[in-house]
Amino acid sequence: MEDIPGYVAGTFIAIVIAVLGFIFFGVNSATNGKRNLTPSFVITFLVAWIFVVSVLVFDGYFTNLSGTPRIPLMAGFTFVMIILAFAIPRSKSLLNNIPITTLHYIHIVRIPLQMVIWWLAVSKAMPMDVTFEGSNLDILSGISAPFAAVFMVGTRSKSKLGAIIWNVIALGLLINFIQMAISYTPYFYTPTLSKASNLAVFYFPYILMPTFIMPVLICSHLVALNQLIFKKDQSQF
């Protein structure tokens, strides 16, 4: 990991900050900009989560490969939190009021994220197979995100069916990337498949890819689909 240029980590940290910014804007908009503690509480909770994960990284928690795979365990915890967010009426109401455009614009971060993944692959910290030079087409979701936000759910034009299809396809591309990334971790890595394994996610700051960024992007798709399909007030679409 010492051979990775500093700008790679810097770019990734900027992506994390950008995701937090999107979340704050979305939650603040969902509360109609009223003076309450909800946006600050959400961001404080997420920053605390990032801090805990980061401390565990420096403590060597994730590089200990004995026993239960620890990265999937931590990532699984985030998905439990997402399920609870949909199950609890108050948080579900908050999710339903996040601007649909924000839920699409946030996926723009997938462009620089895929660049980071490519840089990591060049540095042999990830296999090239999981980049856009391999079988990972997830960067297309990032490129098309602003078009989906403007022309499918924005004020310029609206296409509810188009937005649903875009979210399903983009979610599928994201899941495909996650599946590939998992298969190349030391838990499942087969040397005959690639010259490099997915080592980057075991170290800071890239541990935040499976434990923060990916869950947030998946949640964004699920919230958007929930609004598009089930929300009774369709005036914003």
Side-chain angles (χ1 to χ4, degrees):
M1 298 298 293
E2 293 81 7
D3 296 332
I4 300 176
Y7 62 79
V8 180
T11 302
F12 186 82
I13 292 173
I15 293 170
V16 172
I17 294 172
V19 171
L20 288 171
F22 275 111
I23 294 172
F24 181 84
F25 177 82
V27 174
N28 189 59
S29 299
T31 56
N32 296 317
K34 297 178 180 178
R35 292 185 177 181
N36 61 62
L37 298 177
T38 302
S40 298
F41 173 79
V42 171
I43 294 300
T44 300
F45 175 81
L46 292 175
V47 170
W49 170 252
I50 290 171
F51 177 77
V52 169
V53 172
S54 301
V55 169
L56 290 174
V57 168
F58 291 114
D59 194 45
Y61 176 79
F62 295 106
T63 52
N64 185 348
L65 301 179
S66 61
T68 304
R70 296 180 177 183
I71 291 181
L73 183 66
M74 296 295 283
F77 176 78
T78 63
F79 286 107
V80 170
M81 297 301 294
I82 291 173
I83 293 172
L84 289 176
F86 277 98
I88 299 173
R90 186 173 180 180
S91 60
K92 183 178 180 180
S93 176
L94 180 68
L95 294 176
N96 280 334
N97 285 294
I98 293 176
I100 191 74
T101 50
T102 302
L103 295 170
H104 287 70
Y105 277 123
I106 192 174
H107 297 285
I108 294 175
V109 303
R110 288 156 82 161
I111 300 174
L113 180 62
Q114 292 302 322
M115 286 304 304
V116 167
I117 292 169
W118 184 78
W119 286 330
L120 290 171
V122 171
S123 300
K124 307 299 182 183
M126 293 188 83
M128 193 60 72
D129 292 348
V130 303
T131 72
F132 49 76
E133 285 193 11
S135 304
N136 178 14
L137 300 178
D138 190 63
I139 195 171
L140 297 177
S141 300
I143 295 172
S144 60
F147 296 95
V150 173
F151 297 108
M152 294 182 184
V153 296
T155 56
R156 186 164 299 182
S157 62
K158 303 179 192 298
S159 175
K160 180 180 176 181
L161 179 59
I164 291 174
I165 293 173
W166 182 86
N167 275 280
V168 170
I169 294 175
L171 179 59
L173 291 175
L174 185 60
I175 292 174
N176 177 63
F177 164 68
I178 293 172
Q179 181 273 326
M180 287 191 297
I182 291 174
S183 67
Y184 282 103
T185 58
Y187 303 122
F188 311 103
Y189 173 62
T190 303
T192 56
L193 295 178
S194 174
K195 295 180 180 179
S197 64
N198 183 5
L199 294 175
V201 295
F202 287 83
Y203 298 91
F204 181 84
Y206 313 108
I207 182 64
L208 298 176
M209 198 180 303
T211 59
F212 175 64
I213 292 180
M214 293 302 156
V216 168
L217 293 180
I218 289 177
C219 184
S220 298
H221 280 307
L222 296 179
V223 174
L225 287 169
N226 182 67
Q227 289 190 18
L228 289 164
I229 297 172
F230 299 111
K231 192 173 181 180
K232 294 181 180 179
D233 180 11
Q234 301 291 326
S235 60
Q236 62 175 309
F237 304 132

